[in-house]
Amino acid sequence: MPDYRLRGAVRGEDGEIGAPRVDEVLTAADAKEAVRLANGRSLTIEDDAVNALWLVDAHGTLLWSLRRADRKS
């Protein structure tokens, strides 16, 4: 089964994405299953750890992304 990478980072107020704080390998039968796994995994990553998540395949092609709401102090 192919491997996919789920990454997450902090997106600054200027929109710039920082270095990944989350970098996990997901193994799935296909891209559709990988997106389902990434979406489910996104619910268990601590809200304050990252506000941008994305999933890429082995070639670096973006398959899925999620922009979380910014936290206001």
Side-chain angles (χ1 to χ4, degrees), residues 38-57:
N39 198 32
R41 178 70 181 101
S42 73
L43 301 174
T44 62
I45 295 172
E46 291 189 27
D47 288 346
D48 58 351
V50 297
N51 59 7
L53 294 162
W54 65 97
L55 179 72
V56 296
D57 66 12

Side-chain angles (χ1 to χ4, degrees), residues 26-46:
L26 301 178
T27 302
D30 56 27
K32 185 175 180 177
E33 181 184 359
V35 169
R36 183 183 59 76
L37 292 172
N39 198 32
R41 178 70 181 101
S42 73
L43 301 174
T44 62
I45 295 172
E46 291 189 27

